[in-house]
Amino acid sequence: TKVDRSASYAARWVAKSLVKSNLCKRCLVQLSYAIGVPYPLSVYVNSYGTVADNRTDHDLVEVVKKNFDLRPGCIVRDLNLKRPIMRKTAAYGHFGRDDPDFTWETPKEVAWSQTV
C-alpha cells in the first residue's frame, strides 16, 4: 500500500539520520500503522548495541519521536513524495541509490535532547 511504501522510506530516512548524526553506528527502525490511526502504533529502534554516549535504544526512540513526524501525510510532505518519481524505483530498487529524487536517502541532522 501507499502507507507501507511511505513508512519504509521514512524508516530508512530515520535510520540514516541516526547513524549520520553519530547517535549510533548502525540501526534498524521498524514502524507499524493501523487503518484510521494517524500516528504509528509502534516505533522500534535496535542499534545492535552501538548506541553512543551510554544511551539506550529507548533513548533513540525518544529522539525519533521528537525529530520526525511519522504520520503518513507528514511523511509524504517531508519527503516530497507527491512527485512523479516512482518510475525510477522500478529498476535497481528504492534504497542505496545516489539520486536527488530519493529524498529518503538524505539524512536529517538530529541530536540528543536535554530530556533524553
Side-chain angles (χ1 to χ4, degrees):
T1 67
K2 290 187 280 184
V3 172
D4 294 334
R5 182 183 301 219
S6 299
S8 66
Y9 294 155
R12 171 76 174 185
W13 183 43
V14 168
K16 286 189 70 132
S17 298
L18 293 174
V19 172
K20 179 73 174 179
S21 298
N22 294 314
L23 302 184
C24 56
K25 291 186 178 161
R26 61 185 279 217
C27 71
L28 167 79
V29 176
Q30 293 178 345
L31 306 170
S32 65
Y33 292 86
I35 295 171
V37 180
Y39 288 95
L41 293 179
S42 172
V43 176
Y44 172 77
V45 178
N46 184 348
S47 69
Y48 304 99
T50 66
V51 66
D53 300 329
N54 295 318
R55 305 290 182 124
T56 66
D57 289 346
H58 179 72
D59 294 334
L60 288 175
V61 170
E62 293 305 312
V63 169
V64 170
K65 288 179 178 180
K66 285 181 173 48
N67 288 278
F68 296 92
D69 191 341
L70 296 173
R71 293 176 291 174
C74 296
I75 293 169
V76 170
R77 178 198 66 211
D78 294 344
L79 295 178
N80 199 14
L81 297 179
K82 290 281 189 182
R83 298 167 296 124
I85 59 167
M86 294 307 148
R87 182 171 289 187
K88 286 184 175 183
T89 65
Y92 308 112
H94 299 250
F95 302 117
R97 296 175 55 190
D98 188 20
D99 187 315
D101 283 337
F102 293 3
T103 53
W104 53 90
E105 295 291 341
T106 305
K108 176 180 179 178
E109 192 64 37
V110 296
W112 299 116
S113 68
Q114 297 301 326
T115 59
V116 174

